[in-house]
Each structure stands twice: as C-alpha cells, then as structure tokens.
Amino acid sequence: MMHPQGKVTVTGTVLKAEFRESQFGEQYKMLVKHADGWLVWSTVPSALGAVKRGDVITFTATLTSSGDPKFAFAKRPTAKAVTLAPLTPEAA
C-alpha cells in the first residue's frame, strides 16, 4: 500500500532509533513501520522521550514522499505523541 501524504496520524512500530548529526546539531531520529507496511523516517517527538526498537507509537506529522510509494519522510512531528506498547522480552 502507498503511504498517505499531508498531515497524518501515524501508528506503528519503531524499527530503528538513533542519534544523527545534521546542520541543526545532533537529532534523535526513528524509522517507523505502519501496520499497512509503509515506512516513515522522522525526528522523535520530544513527548516520546527515548524510544527503542519494538515500541508501538502514535504521532502526527506532515508526510512527504521520498519517491518510493512505500517510504515517506515526516516533517514537524507534534508533541502529542504517545508510546502505546513497549517491546516485551517475550516478543523479542
């Protein structure tokens, strides 16, 4: 399925979270997989704090296309983000 565009609420599983250097200094980024199978790369919203692989989260951001119908970039993620379910040792 193709990812949506525009302002969207994304609920998905964190596949990767890491610090990256940019022209704005060090930023905490994440790769999230939506239940429909598409991926989104975003700055971690401050409300989430430290996310880790396997966390199920929801956040709202403006999605733009990367040129790949299954991969989007998120801009301006809102602070009203929440972690719905952290990874449990049994699920690892």
Side-chain angles (χ1 to χ4, degrees):
M1 170 178 233
M2 187 171 163
H3 65 79
Q5 291 192 40
K7 192 155 188 148
V8 177
T9 298
V10 177
T11 300
T13 304
V14 176
L15 299 180
K16 178 195 242 184
E18 65 187 19
F19 286 96
R20 289 269 180 109
E21 278 297 323
S22 76
Q23 64 188 19
F24 306 108
E26 192 173 60
Q27 295 183 325
Y28 195 31
K29 300 282 193 170
M30 64 183 173
L31 180 64
V32 177
K33 183 174 185 178
H34 189 272
D36 290 340
W38 48 269
L39 303 172
V40 62
W41 180 252
S42 176
T43 301
V44 176
S46 59
L48 292 179
V51 296
K52 58 193 172 304
R53 181 180 169 91
D55 284 351
V56 177
I57 61 166
T58 191
F59 67 101
T60 301
T62 302
L63 301 186
T64 59
S65 180
S66 67
D68 180 339
K70 292 193 172 202
F71 186 81
F73 294 108
K75 294 181 182 178
R76 298 180 295 283
T78 64
K80 294 181 181 180
V82 293
T83 300
L84 301 174
L87 178 68
T88 60
E90 300 83 38

